[in-house]
Amino acid sequence: MTDLSPLGAPDRLELGEGIRWSDGRLVCVDILTGRLLTPDGDATAPLRTLARLDVPLGAVAPVAGRAGTWIAAAGTGICLLTPGTAPEWLADPEPAAPTGMRMNDGCADPHGRFWAGSMAYDGTPDAGSLYRTGPDGTVTRVLDGITVPNGPAFDRDGTTMYLADSARGLVRRYSVDPRDGALGVGEEFTRVTEGSPDGMTVDAEGALWTAVWGAGEVRRYLPDGTLATVLRLPVTQPAGVCLGGDDGRTLYVTTARVGLAAPGPLDGAVFRARVEVPGLRTAAYRSTAPHRSTAA
């Protein structure tokens, strides 16, 4: 593994997450500012804003067959996001919750479904849920009782899902029925005692990479749960990870400044490092529903 280096050197994100390598480029979000970002030019160029919402933007996944369109976990719901146009809202499942909620991390699985979690702004225990968006645009709550859901991440064939409940320091592993996305009973995969597991991705050997918020680390766990690699960062709050680049062997890491009384010079930067095992291709959401256009 090579040393870490920052991208978009002038930029520092408040809460950088949702990082993806898709269609030959890197994208990430700054959740609380509602921005979808991409590096432009060399590593010293600022990050370019692809889209900006007036609600928090938790994560995106590309939409198959609609170049430049993303499915997004945003605000208190799920929408289709095409830069320069109003979002197409598919569902808004959290607006009447007893405490203020927002969507958090999410991704598509290899079968074309989109999964995303919700959480309370104030971290109310067990207030969060995990939602699955099917190809027809139907959004279904599949898990509840989660405080801060992060991930999920899927293996190559989409029959295993990893999901972090960050506030509990816990990553669970679930079996996934490829036909309808039904989840099996979750089992503990690993527990983090220093810091919290955050964004995750699975590599070509089936190992799980996870950012560890508060510990300044990215960790790689083998499929049996053995800790194989610890990458230390010069920041406090790593938040999102992905594997990409031309050969899939570049690890990208987003970080955050939010909540730090005295952020360091690199807190909030996006980092990259070379690794030995490539990542999996970023899955796309495969929609079968007709396009809809609604106001933001």
Side-chain angles (χ1 to χ4, degrees):
M1 182 180 296
T2 57
D3 292 337
L4 285 160
S5 61
L7 285 170
D11 288 302
R12 299 293 179 263
L13 306 181
E14 284 299 302
L15 183 51
E17 286 206 25
I19 192 162
R20 304 282 180 267
W21 181 267
S22 178
D23 295 328
R25 67 175 176 180
L26 189 72
V27 298
C28 66
V29 303
D30 194 4
I31 292 181
L32 299 180
T33 65
R35 293 184 298 157
L36 177 64
L37 303 160
T38 189
D40 228 4
D42 61 29
T44 64
L47 300 174
R48 178 165 57 93
T49 299
L50 296 174
R52 185 166 194 162
L53 300 179
D54 59 4
V55 293
L57 177 58
V60 300
V63 177
R66 294 182 63 177
T69 295
W70 309 85
I71 187 169
T76 53
I78 307 295
C79 67
L80 297 178
L81 177 61
T82 303
T85 67
E88 299 176 36
W89 289 96
L90 304 181
D92 190 15
E94 296 280 7
T99 186
M101 303 291 292
R102 68 168 175 84
M103 301 303 291
N104 198 43
D105 205 359
C107 75
D109 71 22
H111 301 284
R113 295 175 286 258
F114 182 67
W115 304 70
S118 67
M119 60 173 286
Y121 276 103
D122 64 3
T124 298
D126 301 331
S129 299
L130 179 70
Y131 294 93
R132 181 186 64 230
T133 304
D136 66 353
T138 299
V139 178
T140 304
R141 179 187 277 114
V142 292
L143 291 173
D144 57 16
I146 310 165
T147 302
V148 182
N150 270 297
F154 293 86
D155 66 353
R156 184 187 299 274
D157 60 8
T159 58
T160 298
M161 180 187 81
Y162 296 91
L163 182 70
D165 191 343
S166 299
R168 292 182 168 89
L170 181 63
V171 178
R172 293 186 177 94
R173 177 166 53 192
Y174 298 82
S175 63
V176 184
D177 189 323
R179 297 168 297 179
D180 59 8
L183 297 181
V185 176
E187 61 178 6
E188 181 174 323
F189 175 70
T190 192
R191 188 176 291 272
V192 175
T193 57
E194 295 183 9
S196 302
D198 206 310
M200 302 184 293
T201 192
V202 176
D203 67 24
E205 292 183 349
L208 180 74
W209 292 83
T210 180
V212 185
W213 178 280
E217 295 177 352
V218 174
R219 299 179 185 177
R220 180 177 185 257
Y221 292 91
L222 301 181
D224 65 1
T226 301
L227 178 59
T229 304
V230 177
L231 173 62
R232 303 191 185 281
L233 288 82
V235 297
T236 302
Q237 297 175 157
V241 294
C242 77
L243 290 159
D246 293 340
D247 60 0
R249 289 182 167 85
T250 300
L251 174 72
Y252 296 97
V253 185
T254 53
T255 69
R257 296 165 58 88
V258 66
L260 296 176
L266 292 175
D267 286 306
V270 180
F271 293 91
R272 63 183 174 184
R274 294 289 291 169
V275 297
E276 294 181 1
V277 179
L280 303 174
R281 183 176 181 179
T282 298
Y285 172 65
R286 297 198 287 270
S287 175
T288 60
H291 297 182
R292 294 182 291 172
S293 181
T294 60

